[in-house]
Amino acid sequence: MISSLLNWIKDRWFFANSFFPIQLFLLHLRRSHLLIIFWLILFAFIGGFMAESYGLSYLFLTPEYLDKVNFVSYFIVGVSGGLFVMAFHISSYIYYSYRYPFLATLSRPLWKFSINNSVIPVLFIGFYLYQVIDLLLREGFDWMSIAINTLGLAAGGLFTILFSFSYFISTLKTLDIPEDGSKKAKALKPLQNIMMPATKIGSRSKTHINYYMSGMFKIKLTRHAGHYGKKVLLETIQQHHFSASIYFVILILLVIGLSLVGDNEVFIIPAGASVFLIFSLYLMVTGAFYTRLKTWTVTIGVVVLFALNYFSGFERFASLNYAYGMNYETERADYSYANFEALTNDSLVKYDKKQSLQILQNWKAKQDESKPKLILLNVSGGGLRSALWVTKVIQEIDKATGNQFYPNIHLITGSSGGMLGAAFLREVEYRNRKGNLDVNLQNDTLLTLMGKDLLNPVTFTLAVNDLFFRLKKVEYEPYSYPKDRGYTFDRRLNENTMGLLDRKFYEYKELEFNSQMPQMVLAPTIVGDGRKLLMSPQGVSYLTFTRPYAGIGREKEHSGIEFSRLFADQDADNLSFLTALRMSASFPYITPLINMPSKPGIELIDAGVRDNEGFEHSLRYVFSHKKWIEENTSGVIIVQIKANRANEIPIEEERVTKLDKLTLPIGGVMKSFHNLQIYNKSLLMELSREELKMPMDIVRFSLINEDKDVSLSWHLTNVEKQSILSTFQNKTNQEALKVLLDALKESR
């Protein structure tokens, strides 16, 4: 009995140990770490194990094409996913075909190798389809729609794979190797140099393969190749490598072609498809290096990356991202303490305050009350969710106040998506009041527009343009710039906002001065030193510094710098307002960090790094004009529209591993980053309550709570959009609305 059991186990173990699919799978786990990394990242993306809060999985699970989730969008993602699967098979074939001489004896060798190499792809496809079906069910799709969409995904993948194999099968139908060794590999020299063919055959293979899959459900014994000379077998494998190198060239040409036609929205593929395309090309590039460098690939790759990183620090080799409309050809702006002092001298500060008081007078002249409430609007960052949430909240408040709320707003501060939404509504309200626009603040079209995808075209441009070939130029008179994904973001935002924001920066100066529009202060963060770049067409020098206690060594602490004056000689006024909004909403890795024409050079990142809601600027403004506000208003109302995390900081016990302890010093600071802003805001509130003699109400409308989680992304699913729109009706926000209405009544 025991002997029979042992023999049964031995037979099965022998079969598994000599079965080609299992051997390839184990070989990948043991040696193909560079290839496996790509698969692990994709598993993490799709399963929500990586970047879950950024909604990255939705780019694969509910892809959009031409603003629709349907058969076509899934088909395109399937096509791109099929490219990645083929890139994996081809790279694996180039890596390991020389280990298995019997492959040279087979007809359609790559096809049969790929069947045996499909353990990882099959596991991934099964996991992918499960995740798609699960999400579509949660999104409320019916079974027919789910079936059609998953069919589109599968059909796209099969189309690419079968089309790719048709090429290899047509060029390598059978090898017909003559025993005299007369068969020669015919490969063009340039393509041979792309994929270096194997130089040995079977020299490292220590495992004998007895069985392989010749079809989807067919298992055959391997054919003995010993009677063929090693030279003949090697030349046969080299011929296959030549065909694989052609596939690599076709993939590069595809990327170049898409970059050239990317201005046409028909060719802008879903973001998930763009990721597959990036990975396919990187995987093939990795394969090209590996075939030449073998086990030196990682070592030399690390050295090359360090070298590229070093040289990229020199301006000659740097790949810059530009602020469209500014002059990069003239002398650079002086970014120094001496210039900070010059731009905040007493005469400039006095002049700016005088002008600001005149704007306040112009604002008051348009109010119905003798002592109106001064309304300041703070809007938080949070990508597209924030833009949509700001739109919804302002619509509801304006409706509850009989369309009297928004015209009374004097100042808007904040960051990222919140400022996009606020800027759009500012234009809508102004143009509607002037009779130049049929859409008013209450129109549901605004919600539809603010919920439209911004991510797909940006990711597409990243894939086919920014990572490889920045071939195209864009014109923003009178200057020309290389096209990057930032420009694509600007154009898409312009489409989503009906073209209303396509203005130059200076065009808002007179409108704000005459109080025809609320003032808006953008405040992207300077990466190197953490200062704010305050962007306003009005003079705001008085907001850029504080005066420390005497005796500490300096008169001013410059926490910011004024954009318009610092870059006056670099055409600051000519800056595209769309680009200005993007400067304040530089989502890490998605939109590029803009390089400013200064010396030394500075880069800009999201305004939320310093002050996610603009609360600090609001208080600075109030303190700067507190005497006028006390005499001419009945108080201040700061309306905060928050789409970032809740203010209540959770207290949790976390399991800390040995590896966690290595990253805890840095990771702990990053994790506490939002909490630090909460503590600082609480301190500012307490100080302002003690120092200001006027009534001041702070009313907060919050999107995020413990029960709600919406992606921090430039892409939202339909369920997320509905969740955002319904949140205004919850108890917390309805109570906030009542507080706001009561505060507004006090001025009447």
Side-chain angles (χ1 to χ4, degrees):
M1 179 70 177
I2 295 177
S3 176
S4 299
L5 179 61
L6 291 174
N7 287 333
W8 183 85
I9 295 174
K10 181 179 179 181
D11 290 342
R12 269 61 183 176
W13 173 252
F14 176 77
F15 174 77
N17 199 40
S18 60
F19 190 38
F20 196 28
I22 294 178
Q23 280 301 307
L24 280 175
F25 177 67
L26 296 175
L27 184 64
H28 281 309
L29 296 182
R30 189 170 71 250
R31 303 183 66 89
S32 305
H33 302 143
L34 291 176
L35 297 187
I36 293 298
I37 286 174
F38 289 101
W39 287 111
L40 290 177
I41 293 174
L42 286 173
F43 269 106
F45 282 170
I46 290 171
F49 310 124
M50 182 184 293
E52 179 183 10
S53 61
Y54 296 104
L56 198 58
S57 61
Y58 298 141
L59 305 183
F60 297 89
L61 304 180
T62 56
E64 285 190 12
Y65 175 67
L66 298 178
D67 299 322
K68 294 181 180 179
V69 177
N70 54 22
F71 176 89
V72 177
S73 65
Y74 279 98
F75 181 84
I76 295 172
V77 173
V79 168
S80 190
L83 285 174
F84 179 76
V85 171
M86 282 304 305
F88 172 70
H89 286 320
I90 292 169
S91 297
S92 300
Y93 188 78
I94 293 170
Y95 285 10
Y96 300 126
S97 56
Y98 72 94
R99 290 173 168 267
Y100 304 103
F102 79 91
L103 290 171
T105 69
L106 304 177
S107 62
R108 304 182 180 90
L110 181 61
W111 165 256
K112 292 176 181 175
F113 176 88
S114 299
I115 292 174
N116 289 271
N117 192 48
S118 293
V119 174
I120 296 175
V122 167
L123 290 174
F124 175 76
I125 291 169
F127 179 71
Y128 191 2
L129 290 174
Y130 169 79
Q131 292 291 335
V132 167
I133 294 171
D134 179 62
L135 180 62
L136 291 181
L137 285 172
R138 287 187 278 120
E139 286 269 311
F141 283 72
D142 57 70
W143 278 105
M144 180 60 71
S145 298
I146 293 173
I148 291 173
N149 290 334
T150 52
L151 179 63
L153 184 65
L158 285 174
F159 171 80
T160 302
I161 293 171
L162 295 178
F163 181 82
S164 301
F165 277 123
S166 68
Y167 158 71
F168 288 101
I169 291 173
S170 64
T171 56
L172 297 172
K173 289 183 178 179
T174 182
L175 299 177
D176 298 327
I177 305 174
E179 295 188 16
D180 61 3
S182 61
K183 178 90 173 168
K184 300 291 183 183
K186 298 178 180 179
L188 297 175
K189 192 68 175 177
L191 290 178
Q192 278 184 313
N193 291 333
I194 293 176
M195 295 292 186
M196 177 67 89
T199 57
K200 294 182 180 181
I201 187 76
S203 58
R204 297 185 187 179
S205 182
K206 296 181 180 180
T207 304
H208 184 66
I209 302 299
N210 292 313
Y211 306 97
Y212 73 98
M213 295 187 68
S214 63
M216 293 297 183
F217 305 103
K218 294 181 181 179
I219 297 177
K220 285 188 176 182
L221 288 168
T222 57
R223 182 180 175 187
H224 181 59
H227 61 290
Y228 296 117
K230 284 193 174 183
K231 181 180 178 182
V232 176
L233 296 174
L234 178 60
E235 289 176 346
T236 302
I237 297 298
Q238 290 174 342
Q239 185 185 20
H240 302 168
H241 288 190
F242 163 69
S243 296
S245 67
I246 293 178
Y247 190 87
F248 176 55
V249 172
I250 291 173
L251 195 58
I252 293 177
L253 292 176
L254 173 63
V255 171
I256 294 175
L258 286 174
S259 70
L260 294 175
V261 299
D263 291 335
N264 190 327
E265 66 175 358
V266 173
F267 295 100
I268 298 178
I269 60 178
S274 297
V275 175
F276 277 128
L277 190 61
I278 295 170
F279 278 27
S280 300
L281 196 52
Y282 273 171
L283 193 149
M284 293 296 290
V285 169
T286 303
F289 278 111
Y290 183 84
T291 53
R292 282 185 170 274
L293 304 176
K294 302 298 181 184
T295 56
W296 284 91
T297 301
V298 175
T299 302
I300 294 178
V302 171
V303 172
V304 169
L305 285 176
F306 274 107
L308 290 174
N309 177 67
Y310 174 77
F311 285 109
S312 67
F314 296 97
E315 186 172 340
R316 182 178 178 183
F317 301 102
S319 179
L320 302 181
N321 299 104
Y322 297 89
Y324 296 113
M326 296 188 68
N327 185 357
Y328 285 77
E329 301 301 323
T330 189
E331 184 179 354
R332 302 296 179 89
D334 178 21
Y335 189 78
S336 66
Y337 281 104
N339 203 22
F340 297 167
E341 291 291 337
L343 296 178
T344 55
N345 64 63
D346 291 343
S347 61
L348 280 178
V349 172
K350 184 177 180 181
Y351 175 80
D352 286 349
K353 284 189 175 182
K354 181 179 178 181
Q355 291 295 100
S356 186
L357 287 173
Q358 184 58 55
I359 297 174
L360 280 167
Q361 291 285 7
N362 295 339
W363 168 82
K364 184 184 177 184
K366 295 179 182 294
Q367 309 306 312
D368 296 331
E369 298 84 16
S370 59
K371 279 197 167 188
K373 289 283 188 177
L374 182 70
I375 301 176
L376 310 181
L377 183 63
N378 295 172
V379 293
S380 80
L384 205 57
R385 76 186 185 195
S386 184
L388 183 58
W389 177 236
V390 166
T391 305
K392 177 63 176 177
V393 171
I394 289 178
Q395 281 188 337
E396 293 292 340
I397 295 175
D398 212 51
K399 184 188 301 182
T401 58
N403 306 117
Q404 296 302 309
F405 170 73
Y406 196 85
N408 293 347
I409 297 174
H410 175 67
L411 178 69
I412 302 173
T413 58
S415 69
S416 194
M419 294 299 273
L420 267 61
F424 179 45
L425 292 181
R426 184 173 74 154
E427 280 284 358
V428 169
E429 196 277 335
Y430 167 74
R431 299 202 188 204
N432 180 259
R433 184 161 29 89
K434 290 295 183 181
N436 299 328
L437 189 70
D438 294 334
V439 178
N440 59 33
L441 279 182
Q442 301 304 320
N443 200 303
D444 287 343
T445 301
L446 303 184
L447 297 173
T448 302
L449 292 172
M450 276 294 94
K452 289 183 68 174
D453 170 77
L454 283 168
L455 187 58
N456 276 301
V458 174
T459 309
F460 172 80
T461 306
L462 173 66
V464 304
N465 185 80
D466 288 17
L467 291 180
F468 296 98
F469 319 102
R470 294 171 68 175
L471 301 176
K472 302 188 74 174
K473 296 280 188 179
V474 295
E475 302 291 333
Y476 194 90
E477 292 187 358
Y479 307 114
S480 176
Y481 311 89
K483 179 183 177 181
D484 61 14
R485 63 191 184 278
Y487 178 80
T488 302
F489 182 93
D490 294 352
R491 291 300 96 199
R492 179 67 173 197
L493 176 61
N494 189 50
E495 293 173 12
N496 290 1
T497 54
M498 303 186 293
L500 301 183
L501 299 177
D502 195 5
R503 290 179 180 260
K504 294 188 176 181
F505 194 70
Y506 77 90
E507 293 183 48
Y508 289 100
K509 185 169 187 176
E510 185 177 349
L511 294 172
E512 290 185 3
F513 184 82
N514 294 325
S515 199
Q516 293 177 285
M517 283 185 173
Q519 281 187 260
M520 178 173 281
V521 180
L522 300 168
T525 306
I526 297 170
V527 174
D529 55 26
R531 288 186 174 88
K532 300 176 184 179
L533 185 66
L534 296 189
M535 305 180 68
S536 170
Q538 314 303 324
V540 290
S541 58
Y542 56 89
L543 296 179
T544 64
F545 65 92
T546 52
R547 296 187 184 275
Y549 285 106
I552 68 170
R554 56 181 178 273
E555 181 185 351
K556 299 173 186 174
E557 184 68 69
H558 296 278
S559 60
I561 188 72
E562 198 176 359
F563 165 76
S564 294
R565 288 198 172 105
L566 177 64
F567 295 106
D569 294 334
Q570 290 75 34
D571 259 5
D573 285 348
N574 193 56
L575 175 70
S576 164
F577 185 64
L578 290 163
T579 301
L581 287 171
R582 174 164 53 87
M583 288 179 175
S584 179
S586 296
F587 213 75
Y589 307 110
I590 302 301
T591 49
L593 305 186
I594 291 180
N595 304 90
M596 301 302 291
S598 63
K599 186 178 182 180
I602 59 175
E603 288 183 302
L604 303 179
I605 198 170
D606 197 292
V609 171
R610 274 283 305 272
D611 185 5
N612 197 41
E613 296 152 28
F615 181 66
E616 178 190 331
H617 286 143
S618 294
L619 283 185
R620 281 180 181 269
Y621 187 87
V622 171
F623 271 92
S624 297
H625 305 299
K626 62 180 180 180
K627 183 178 179 181
W628 186 94
I629 295 172
E630 289 171 0
E631 294 174 353
N632 293 273
T633 74
S634 57
V636 176
I637 301 176
I638 298 179
V639 178
Q640 296 184 335
I641 305 178
K642 290 170 52 66
N644 54 334
R645 282 166 42 190
N647 270 331
E648 184 173 332
I649 301 171
I651 300 176
E652 302 171 333
E653 182 176 356
E654 296 186 4
R655 175 176 167 268
V656 180
T657 65
K658 292 288 186 182
L659 185 60
D660 292 334
K661 290 183 178 180
L662 295 176
T663 60
L664 193 59
I666 298 175
V669 173
M670 295 300 294
K671 190 172 182 180
S672 301
F673 183 76
H674 175 75
N675 300 345
L676 296 177
Q677 289 201 18
I678 294 177
Y679 299 142
N680 290 335
K681 282 187 294 184
S682 298
L683 176 61
L684 290 174
M685 288 180 186
E686 181 178 354
L687 294 175
S688 63
R689 185 172 60 247
E690 294 177 357
E691 294 295 325
L692 296 174
K693 305 305 180 184
M694 69 197 75
M696 187 167 72
D697 296 286
I698 298 176
V699 185
R700 179 177 296 137
F701 296 88
S702 298
L703 172 67
I704 305 298
N705 54 48
E706 293 181 358
D707 301 322
K708 186 177 293 293
D709 188 17
V710 183
S711 303
L712 177 60
S713 174
W714 294 118
H715 174 90
L716 296 172
T717 67
N718 290 331
V719 167
E720 287 179 320
K721 293 174 188 177
Q722 292 303 317
S723 175
I724 292 170
L725 298 180
S726 64
T727 302
F728 189 83
Q729 302 303 324
N730 68 23
K731 181 180 178 181
T732 301
N733 289 316
Q734 288 300 303
E735 289 176 350
L737 178 61
K738 185 177 184 302
V739 171
L740 176 59
L741 294 177
D742 291 341
L744 289 171
K745 289 177 183 177
E746 292 175 5
S747 64
R748 294 186 173 92

